[in-house]
């Protein structure tokens, strides 16, 4: 199951993406945005390990940020700054 929500503060819009999977081992959570990093080296299907790195890269280029945490599954929060005129 995937839950997607949007919240707004005075300074930003926050898009939250949360699944109900097993999450990421706490000791690996801080590394999931690194280029070529894969949490589960034993996976049968190998990916390139760049997906979340690209998300972080794009968010930072737009002056935003992304955060990950375990909350009964993996929760990603994308923080988009509001445009100032």
């Amino acid at each position: 199951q995937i839950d997607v929500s949007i919240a707004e503060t005075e300074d930003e819009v926050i898009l939250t993406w949360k699944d109900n999977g097993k999450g990421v081992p706490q000791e690996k959570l801080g590394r999931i945005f690194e280029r070529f990093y894969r949490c589960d080296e034993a996976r049968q299907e190998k990916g390139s390990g760049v997906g979340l790195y690209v998300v972080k890269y794009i968010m930072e280029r737009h002056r935003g940020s992304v955060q990950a945490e375990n909350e009964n599954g993996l929760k990603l929060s994308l923080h988009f700054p509001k445009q100032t005129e």
Side-chain angles (χ1 to χ4, degrees):
Q1 180 178 337
I2 297 173
D3 295 319
V4 178
S5 63
I6 298 174
E8 184 176 6
T9 69
E10 186 176 318
D11 302 322
E12 64 186 359
V13 174
I14 304 164
L15 172 65
T16 302
W17 172 282
K18 182 183 173 313
D19 68 29
N20 66 339
K22 62 180 182 174
V24 174
Q26 198 63 34
E27 67 274 6
K28 296 182 178 187
L29 192 60
R31 298 194 61 201
I32 65 172
F33 295 107
E34 293 178 13
R35 191 172 185 186
F36 303 123
Y37 184 75
R38 292 193 322 257
C39 276
D40 187 0
E41 298 84 11
R43 284 181 18 192
Q44 294 297 321
E45 296 180 28
K46 300 292 183 185
S48 62
V50 297
L52 290 177
Y53 171 79
V54 172
V55 169
K56 181 181 177 190
Y57 179 87
I58 291 170
M59 291 302 297
E60 288 176 349
R61 293 312 169 270
H62 289 279
R63 297 194 174 119
S65 64
V66 61
Q67 298 169 328
E69 61 184 298
N70 286 312
E71 186 180 289
N72 298 319
L74 181 62
K75 177 180 172 183
L76 297 175
S77 299
L78 288 77
H79 298 257
F80 297 89
K82 288 187 177 177
Q83 296 285 331
T84 56
E85 296 182 49

